[in-house]
Amino acid sequence: MNIADSEIVASILNESGYDVTRDINEASLILLNTCSIRENAEQKIWNRLKALKSVRKKNPSVMIGVIGCMAERLKEKLIQNDLPVDIVAGPDSYRSLPDLVIEAEIGQSRINVMLSESETYADISPLRLDSNGVTAFIAIMRGCNNMCTYCVVPFVRGSERSRDPRSIVKEATELFRKGYREVTLIGQNVNSYFWKDTGETIGFPELLAEVARIDPLLRVRFATSHPKDLSDKLLETIASYDNICKHIHLPVQSGSNRILKLMNRQYTREWYMNRIEAIRKIILECSVSTDIIAGFCTETEENHKDTLSLMEWAGFDFAYMFKYNERPGTKAAESLPDDVPDEIKTKRLNEIINLQNKISAKSKKADVGKIHRVLVEGYSKRSTNFLYGRTSQNKVVVFPAENCQIGEYVNVMVEKCTSATLTGRLI
Ligand code: 5AD
Ligand code: SF4
């Protein structure tokens, strides 16, 4: 989401006459787009700001801004110190950035952290940064109404609002025309996408189908799905279109019903298992990835074992795994004790990671000997004699470049797997 937001910010500033530079010493404006989800994400920004002191020393007129979730969360605290910060703008105030820069230049107020009920930046055509020219993100909604007790997102990104479907389809169509071959529709909870217009209502399955109909050569992905809202209708839509990728990111967070309740996830272990069964039944060869939090408030060894057993049962192809980190202002911070000692959180996280490594290895091994349709995204980091791309199931495959081009679809026979990638040959 922050990549997509940076592209919106770049577009807004571009309209005001700014260009993007790769050289920090050449910049007249430096913006740090920030994340508040865990403390270490914020710590990185504090360190980066300290490092920017020397850039400011060399170039006293350079403007420095902090934008995004940390700006929203900390507001004036980002300015009240000896760090070089001139501008603070939250996720809903990016349109005001050109004005904030002018105000900061003449030493006036330079904070805008007003959250909005309606801002979706629907009319802004993002300026693609660091693009491979093949894959792009399209934000379809902003904010979140779910109020998971551990999560800072609803406070820093505001309440949920969906973007006009016509502007989404237009953006995807233009990307396809420019040669892009894959779009990922993103939102904190895409399953609650909702648009009502002159009597017609459009939910996420309808939106996904409309984007898929743009062209069979345009792959469509999406993230993230909340398990409580994952409907059979959506699964049927995914199954009906070859170009909708067969991969669902479905964060489970915990396998214990007691912990899920304390997290306010609004589903049970059994509900989650039922959704996985529905995926397996409705979609052929669908991969599933997840997010897991280790050591949430009051988590017992038995609760942790419930997470391990669910992981094993579900056989996730991939997982993002975290230690619980208390965030100020959240319901958990206010009313639940962060009482799992750090050593125990680390131990549990390591158990989760070790188990997932085994499960992921098994999932990759199952691909060996199979032919996959791969969208070529770029050259392999190690050698330009090799290209890489992803399968519909979102697994990275590396193969000899031969005569194929970036942006093309190729068939690859998977011959080997390492811990992170599959390798194969063109057929
Ligand atoms: N501590 C640890 N992990 C968190 N996440 C969100 N908030 C926290 C927190 N306070 C994780 C969840 C979420 C992912 C984006 O980040 O797993 O799905
Ligand atoms: Fe945070 Fe829960 Fe919303 Fe995800 S669904 S952004 S975890 S509050």
Side-chain angles (χ1 to χ4, degrees):
M1 189 56 95
N2 269 4
I3 292 173
D5 275 6
S6 292
E7 296 183 334
I8 285 168
V9 167
S11 172
I12 291 170
L13 289 166
N14 192 243
E15 289 285 305
S16 294
Y18 289 86
D19 276 332
V20 179
T21 175
R22 298 258 129 242
D23 180 1
I24 201 161
N25 295 309
E26 192 188 85
S28 51
L29 170 66
I30 299 167
L31 298 175
L32 305 185
N33 195 358
T34 61
C35 173
S36 286
I37 199 108
R38 282 170 294 274
E39 203 178 343
N40 57 6
E42 291 194 349
Q43 196 50 52
K44 277 189 203 159
I45 298 298
W46 290 119
N47 295 341
R48 189 68 62 88
L49 287 171
K50 273 183 212 141
L52 284 176
K53 277 184 176 179
S54 64
V55 176
R56 168 80 116 221
K57 214 168 179 181
K58 265 192 258 164
N59 177 6
S61 68
V62 67
M63 290 279 120
I64 299 175
V66 176
I67 63 172
C69 296
M70 199 173 161
E72 195 66 48
R73 198 178 85 75
L74 296 172
K75 305 181 175 70
E76 57 284 340
K77 290 195 192 102
L78 284 160
I79 286 180
Q80 293 160 352
N81 53 51
D82 66 339
L83 293 169
V85 181
D86 307 296
I87 295 157
V88 176
D92 288 344
S93 345
Y94 296 151
R95 284 182 205 268
S96 69
L97 272 169
D99 289 341
L100 289 178
V101 178
I102 294 169
E103 284 163 20
E105 274 168 352
I106 55 170
Q108 284 184 3
S109 84
R110 51 226 163 133
I111 298 186
N112 190 351
V113 286
M114 284 280 287
L115 284 175
S116 151
E117 295 277 300
S118 57
E119 180 63 275
T120 60
Y121 302 113
D123 56 317
I124 292 173
S125 171
L127 187 81
R128 303 292 164 184
L129 301 166
D130 274 335
S131 170
N132 57 8
V134 181
T135 60
F137 292 120
I138 300 182
I140 63 161
M141 57 193 301
R142 301 182 71 81
C144 184
N145 287 349
N146 284 316
M147 288 293 178
C148 301
T149 55
Y150 52 79
C151 187
V152 77
V153 168
F155 302 95
V156 290
R157 284 194 166 265
S159 53
E160 207 168 270
R161 66 221 97 120
S162 297
R163 176 177 164 189
D164 186 333
R166 284 161 297 201
S167 75
I168 298 168
V169 172
K170 184 166 162 249
E171 191 175 326
T173 308
E174 272 166 21
L175 284 166
F176 183 72
R177 204 177 38 79
K178 286 183 188 154
Y180 284 79
R181 290 295 174 262
E182 183 182 295
V183 291
T184 304
L185 307 181
I186 52 168
Q188 258 73 38
N189 175 16
V190 292
N191 297 124
S192 55
Y193 177 88
F194 182 77
W195 187 263
K196 197 169 172 157
D197 219 359
T198 56
E200 199 193 356
T201 59
I202 296 189
F204 187 59
E206 292 82 15
L207 177 74
L208 191 60
E210 260 200 67
V211 177
R213 280 195 293 266
I214 291 172
D215 197 291
L217 286 177
L218 181 69
R219 269 187 173 180
V220 192
R221 299 186 184 276
F222 59 92
T224 292
S225 294
H226 195 300
K228 79 176 162 61
D229 304 315
L230 185 78
S231 66
D232 285 0
K233 187 172 178 194
L234 176 64
L235 300 178
E236 279 149 17
T237 308
I238 298 168
S240 322
Y241 291 85
D242 279 348
N243 58 331
I244 301 182
C245 290
K246 307 299 181 255
H247 167 230
I248 299 181
H249 186 63
L250 198 64
V252 66
Q253 317 295 3
S254 169
S256 149
N257 277 336
R258 193 181 70 81
I259 295 296
L260 287 170
K261 193 147 202 251
L262 287 177
M263 288 177 163
N264 190 32
R265 287 292 287 176
Q266 303 172 65
Y267 56 82
T268 59
R269 176 187 174 99
E270 292 71 30
W271 171 272
Y272 188 90
M273 291 169 86
N274 168 281
R275 293 295 78 207
I276 297 277
E277 276 166 349
I279 294 171
R280 305 271 182 249
K281 197 168 87 201
I282 299 172
I283 311 171
L284 210 66
E285 305 223 359
C286 189
S287 65
V288 181
S289 55
T290 200
D291 293 348
I292 296 171
I293 298 178
F296 186 64
C297 310
T298 78
E299 186 187 74
T300 64
E301 199 56 33
E302 198 189 328
N303 302 149
H304 166 61
K305 293 241 158 67
D306 286 342
T307 299
L308 296 175
S309 71
L310 184 62
M311 288 170 68
E312 207 137 21
W313 178 87
F316 296 116
D317 296 273
F318 183 83
Y320 294 101
M321 300 155 283
F322 317 98
K323 271 200 272 188
Y324 171 60
N325 178 225
E326 186 177 272
R327 305 306 288 133
T330 57
K331 180 118 192 280
E334 271 158 23
S335 60
L336 295 168
D338 181 13
D339 57 356
V340 177
D342 194 55
E343 317 83 78
I344 306 279
K345 283 184 187 169
T346 306
K347 180 185 138 286
R348 289 182 189 164
L349 179 65
N350 286 338
E351 286 174 15
I352 287 170
I353 293 172
N354 289 340
L355 175 60
Q356 185 53 45
N357 284 345
K358 277 189 212 137
I359 303 173
S360 297
K362 209 162 129 194
S363 139
K364 286 206 191 67
K365 268 201 199 102
D367 283 316
V368 176
K370 286 192 190 150
I371 296 166
H372 282 280
R373 190 162 193 245
V374 171
L375 172 61
V376 185
E377 289 181 30
Y379 286 99
S380 139
K381 270 187 216 130
R382 292 212 191 120
S383 154
T384 52
N385 293 330
F386 288 85
L387 286 164
Y388 79 92
R390 274 174 301 150
T391 65
S392 173
Q393 287 74 17
N394 208 29
K395 290 185 189 163
V396 175
V397 187
V398 176
F399 50 93
E402 295 180 21
N403 291 325
C404 47
Q405 306 285 321
I406 293 170
E408 213 182 308
Y409 287 97
V410 292
N411 288 322
V412 179
M413 162 66 88
V414 175
E415 294 179 313
K416 269 201 313 213
C417 63
T418 64
S419 61
T421 39
L422 304 171
T423 52
R425 65 180 159 84
L426 292 163
I427 61 151

